[in-house]
Amino acid sequence: MFDALLVEQNTANKQHVTLCQLSEEQLPPGDVTVRVAYSTLNYKDALALTGKGPILRSLPMVPGIDFAGTVEHSTYPGITPGQQVLLNGYGVGEKQSGGLAQRARVSGAWLVPLPAAFSPAQAMALGTAGYTAMLCVRALQKQGVTPQSGEVLVTGATGGVGSIAVMLLARLGYAVTAVTGRMEEKPYLQALGAHEVIPRQYFEGMTRPLEKARWAGAVDVAGGQMLAAVCASMLANGVVTACGLAAGMAFPATVAPFILRGVTLVGIESVNCPMPERLAAWQDLASLIDPQKLAALTTEISLAQVPATAAALLEGKVKGRVVVKVS
C-alpha cells in the first residue's frame, strides 16, 4: 500500500480530494513502475484538484502531471530498476493516474533519465513549468531573437513558468521586462534577473490593432486580452511564444501585427512534445539553471498540504514553484 491524493466524486456529483492509501493493483497499465520521491504543483494540477477546469478525464483519479523518482520495475528497453527518472505530461494526471502518489506506473517511452545536474527535488522545482519555459526560450532562439534584438517580455512573471523564463533569459544575456499583477514582488523578480518590472495594468486598455512597438520577443503565459496586447506591442519581426491561458482562451486580436510588422506567434505544446526536443530542453536546463536561484523560488510542501495550496495558487497567492515531497 502507498499514500496518494485521490480525486473522487461524491453522491451529489461534487468533486472532492482525499489523502488515502492505494494498492499497486490500482495503478494503471504500463511497463515501468516508479517509486515517486517528488512531484510538483502546476497551474493545470490546481485546476484538476479544485475542479475549476476540465482536466481530469475520469474519476477517481490521482492528479499530478509531473514526478521524479526511482524505477522499481521495468520491462521497457533501456529503463532499468534503480534508475532515476522524471516525467512531464503525456496525459499523466489527466487521462491516467499521476504523480501525486508514492507509486506511478507509466509507459517507459514517456520517461526522461534524470539529468546528473539535478536531484529529484530540483527536477520537480523545474517540472513542467521549467521545461515549458525552456521550450519557449528555445523557440525564441530558433526564430532568431538574440540579446541584441531588444527587450524580451515575460508575462505572469511571478508564476512558475514566468519565474523560470525570467531566470533563463537573464542568464542568456537578454534584457528581461517582467510583467506582474503583484508589484510588491518586484525585488523577487529583480533577484531572478529582471531588468525592469512593470504592472499588469500597463496593458489594460490596449485594444488598438497596433500599439507602440517595444518588445523583440515575449513569453506569454496569460493568453486572452494580454496576449493580444503583447502581439500588438511587438517590434518589427518580433516573436511571441504562447504557452498558457491564465487570463482566458479567447484571442481578441487582429491580423495587423502579423502582416504589418511581421510578428511571429509560436505556440508551445509541452504535453506531447517529441522526445528529442524534451531531452534537448532538459539538457539546456542542466547547463543554465542556477541552483541557488532555483532554491530561492521554490517552496516545498507535503501531500496533505496540496489541496489548500492548489486553491491559493488559483487565487494568485503563490509565487515561483511548489515542490511536493511525496515519499
Side-chain angles (χ1 to χ4, degrees), residues 12-302:
N13 291 325
K14 297 290 186 180
Q15 178 177 305
H16 65 100
V17 183
T18 57
L19 179 57
C20 63
Q21 286 205 316
L22 301 178
S23 67
E24 293 208 8
E25 288 72 24
Q26 292 173 278
L27 290 172
D31 47 22
V32 179
T33 302
V34 178
R35 182 173 71 253
V36 179
Y38 289 88
S39 185
T40 183
L41 187 63
N42 298 286
Y43 185 80
K44 184 183 285 187
D45 297 317
L47 290 174
L49 285 154
T50 60
K52 293 185 177 179
I55 304 301
L56 302 179
R57 308 301 173 85
S58 63
L59 295 177
M61 177 79 73
V62 175
I65 64 174
D66 292 332
F67 64 75
T70 303
V71 174
E72 287 197 327
H73 176 76
S74 173
T75 58
Y76 186 82
I79 301 291
T80 57
Q83 184 177 3
Q84 290 190 309
V85 293
L86 62 88
L87 179 140
N88 310 114
Y90 285 114
V92 173
E94 300 178 66
K95 298 177 183 178
Q96 73 170 57
S97 288
L100 290 171
Q102 293 177 330
R103 295 290 186 279
R105 185 177 292 142
V106 297
S107 167
W110 302 343
L111 294 169
V112 171
L114 183 74
F118 299 132
S119 67
Q122 289 172 320
M124 289 298 96
L126 293 164
T128 285
Y131 151 64
T132 301
M134 192 71 248
L135 292 177
C136 290
V137 173
R138 286 173 58 84
L140 291 175
Q141 293 174 318
K142 287 178 182 178
Q143 294 292 328
V145 180
T146 69
Q148 293 70 41
S149 300
E151 295 177 272
V152 174
L153 188 75
V154 178
T155 68
T158 58
V161 175
S163 292
I164 297 172
V166 169
M167 180 168 55
L168 290 171
L169 289 163
R171 178 69 181 271
L172 288 166
Y174 291 86
V176 184
T177 299
V179 183
T180 180
R182 302 160 63 187
M183 285 300 289
E184 67 273 15
E185 299 294 351
K186 182 177 179 179
Y188 163 80
L189 292 168
Q190 289 174 323
L192 292 179
H195 174 74
E196 185 177 357
V197 181
I198 61 176
R200 186 170 57 212
Q201 290 78 11
Y202 177 93
F203 293 94
E204 289 182 359
M206 285 192 180
T207 58
R208 295 183 298 177
L210 292 174
E211 300 287 347
K212 180 180 178 181
R214 180 171 176 182
W215 324 107
V219 175
D220 178 69
V221 305
Q225 180 59 44
M226 175 68 79
L227 176 57
V230 169
C231 288
S233 305
M234 300 302 292
L235 293 168
N237 301 310
V239 180
V240 181
T241 58
C243 63
L245 45 70
M249 291 187 67
F251 184 45
T254 74
V255 298
F258 311 111
I259 65 173
L260 298 179
R261 287 184 181 165
V263 171
T264 298
L265 178 59
V266 182
I268 304 299
E269 195 280 326
S270 64
V271 175
N272 295 299
C273 180
M275 186 56 73
E277 183 69 11
R278 286 174 183 267
L279 294 173
W282 277 102
Q283 183 177 20
D284 285 351
L285 286 168
S287 65
L288 291 172
I289 288 296
D290 181 327
Q292 291 184 328
K293 288 185 177 181
L294 182 63
L297 64 81
T298 303
T299 301
E300 185 177 300
I301 64 173
S302 67

Side-chain angles (χ1 to χ4, degrees), residues 310-325:
L313 192 156
L314 293 186
E315 293 170 3
K317 297 178 181 178
V318 175
K319 70 178 179 183
R321 295 286 293 138
V322 177
V323 169
V324 183
K325 187 174 183 180

